[in-house]
Amino acid sequence: MTQNSASKLLNGDTVHRTKQDKKAGGNGFVKNHCLFQQKRYRRPAEKPFVESFEETPLLVAVLTYMGYGILTIFGYLRDFLRDWKFEKCHLAREREEQKDFVPLYQDFENFYTRNLYMRIRDNWNRPIRSVPGAKMDLVERVTPDYNWTFEHTGKVLKDVINMGSYNYLGFAENTGTCADAASECAVKYGVGVCSSRQETGNLDKHEELEKLVARFLGVESSMVFGMGFATNSMNIPALMGKGCLILSDELNHASLVLGARLSGATIRVFKHNNMQSLEKLLRDAIVHGQPRIHRPWKKILILVEGIYSMEGSIVRLPEIIALKKKYKAYLYLDEAHSIGALGPRGSGVVDYFGLDPCDVDIMMGTFTKSFGAAGGYIGGKKDLVDYLRLHSHSAVYATSMSPPITQQIITSMKCIMGEDGTTLGQERLCQLSENTTYFRRRLHEMGFIIYGNNDSPVVPLMLYMPAKIGAFGREMLKRNIGTVVVGFPATPIIESRARFCVSAAHTREMLDTVSITCTLLSSPIVSKIRLFPYNCEIISHSSDFISRNSDFVTCHCEFLTRN
């Protein structure tokens, strides 16, 4: 890890961090973000749109490629030993009588899975046995065969700090108003509907939720679905088809990519948050039309997300809306991670930028993050929603949303909107904003390379090297911190990372513990001259952490002193 020395936007614009007392205008600034009624939460009227994507240092990139090269060589060696029965084979293989067939498992990703991913597989799919709140309980497991299979020991790891769940507002809880309301709803309606909306699965709770979502988003109408992934993958094909053009951000979620492919429309990809790339595609689409026949496209749809879950970046929505209006295209906005997590009212990236919801043609989001529930929604004009009720596969064939889940969303959304008669929702929005700013600033001051927007609760911390992926996840868990580590193919091969998800339920002590642990586990690449005094300062205020990790802290401080 090195200091952020060349932070820049992916569209080529250099990011300059401005002083708070320096006024600036233009598209690079977000207006009226997080202006809360309480005086202590009030923020400046204008806020710079700051996103940092520091390039991988050359030395780190070279070492990372070397690491993958060594792992690949040993992978081929192990495959050779498996073929000659020198090593036990745990792979799915063809039968002997099928040896002359083309192998089913032949591509590089399968090679990567069995020889690289399997070595660090213990960092994923960990079973939990509690609510995924600020802290959680994990089931301990061991592997006798290098992560091919796992066995549960019967022990439980208690009070693990949860930095991996998308519990942005802390509504994933088993006590309180939401839990009580969901329990009462389960007693009255049961836990399943056993039918689709068009048959006997349409409850009054579903219609109440749809009206509430429309009011929350500021649109004419909305429709809810039982699964967030299917909200994208099944609704985009209902809106687009042959002769239509989809312009998709290169970092869009798999559900958006799948929906675009299922639609049969032509797909073209533009660079992430790059307005020049998007405008070029729009201009070419208008000028040249469809390939070969050169007829105008039936529809042009721009697909973007509010917050990109692997990068922590926020979409440049004002500029995209300007291009959409200029070229008469439609806009599909996926707010899975931004709804409830951004904006003074918590209603997403549209609220964050202070824009008119009517400028977004199709507003999509999920209830799986900020609302602590499940499912998704589509919002927009009434004609659009009425059309989807009849043509969306997710509406016609899928079982409707479970009643307790519906009630959980209703109660949490009313809390965010202040319709429950309390200020709890507003306080959680403020707490999430404060925690995000604090945690990002702390990691940046410690010398880590972190990606994304300053206001994004998704915080990717760059690890780069493949060996660090497994080591970081395991060592964090040893210190009672649960986090998500991500590598290829979910990220570019030299941009492996740990992804932290900040929640309003996290306390300053939890965030300090996580940041200190990251520092203690960091490599000597961090600038020691700048880091050592800061480490001493933060460690001196964390007596509980020292008592749990006294030997490790002592060794770390001695190492920094010597160097």
Side-chain angles (χ1 to χ4, degrees), residues 351-367:
D351 185 29
Y352 175 82
F353 285 107
L355 302 172
D356 186 354
C358 297
D359 289 335
V360 180
D361 302 286
I362 305 143
M363 299 185 70
M364 177 271 170
T366 64
F367 304 117

Side-chain angles (χ1 to χ4, degrees), residues 151-317:
E151 298 175 0
H152 295 162
T153 64
K155 298 180 181 179
V156 178
L157 304 176
K158 296 281 189 179
D159 296 328
V160 177
I161 299 177
N162 182 7
M163 297 299 296
S165 297
Y166 309 126
N167 184 27
Y168 296 132
L169 293 181
F171 283 114
E173 51 194 1
N174 54 7
T175 58
T177 307
C178 291
D180 294 341
S183 299
E184 293 175 5
C185 186
V187 171
K188 181 178 180 180
Y189 291 90
V191 294
V193 181
C194 306
S195 183
S196 66
R197 291 287 298 274
Q198 290 196 356
E199 295 171 344
T200 58
N202 188 31
L203 304 179
D204 58 339
K205 286 291 179 184
H206 296 143
E207 298 193 359
E208 178 186 352
L209 175 58
E210 289 176 343
K211 293 177 181 177
L212 183 64
V213 170
R215 195 165 72 250
F216 181 57
L217 298 176
V219 296
E220 291 182 9
S221 183
S222 72
M223 184 177 183
V224 297
F225 305 88
M227 181 181 178
F229 191 97
T231 306
N232 278 332
S233 60
M234 294 290 101
N235 282 292
I236 294 176
L239 297 170
M240 305 295 286
K242 188 177 181 180
C244 299
L245 175 65
I246 293 177
L247 303 180
S248 177
D249 190 292
E250 65 179 347
L251 297 182
N252 275 343
H253 189 260
S255 59
L256 290 170
V257 174
L258 178 61
R261 290 175 177 173
L262 291 176
S263 69
T266 301
I267 305 170
R268 291 175 183 166
V269 179
F270 62 93
K271 294 180 181 178
H272 174 57
N273 256 351
N274 190 315
M275 297 304 107
Q276 290 78 21
S277 175
L278 175 58
E279 185 168 17
K280 184 179 184 302
L281 291 178
L282 284 167
R283 189 186 301 115
D284 290 346
I286 298 298
V287 172
H288 300 294
Q290 300 182 43
R292 295 188 300 275
I293 61 176
H294 299 294
R295 292 178 182 174
W297 295 99
K298 293 179 181 179
K299 283 177 283 188
I300 300 177
L301 181 68
I302 303 172
L303 286 184
V304 294
E305 295 185 49
I307 293 179
Y308 291 83
S309 59
M310 284 298 172
E311 306 296 323
S313 63
I314 297 175
V315 65
R316 289 178 167 271
L317 192 59

Side-chain angles (χ1 to χ4, degrees), residues 482-496:
T483 187
V484 175
V485 288
V486 190
F488 179 83
T491 67
I493 198 165
I494 62 169
E495 293 185 6
S496 301

Side-chain angles (χ1 to χ4, degrees), residues 133-135 161-165 167 431 435 501-511:
K135 290 187 176 182
I161 299 177
N162 182 7
M163 297 299 296
S165 297
N167 184 27
Q431 190 62 53
N435 285 353
C501 293
V502 182
S503 170
H506 289 140
T507 63
R508 282 290 175 90
E509 182 183 7
M510 294 179 190
L511 298 178

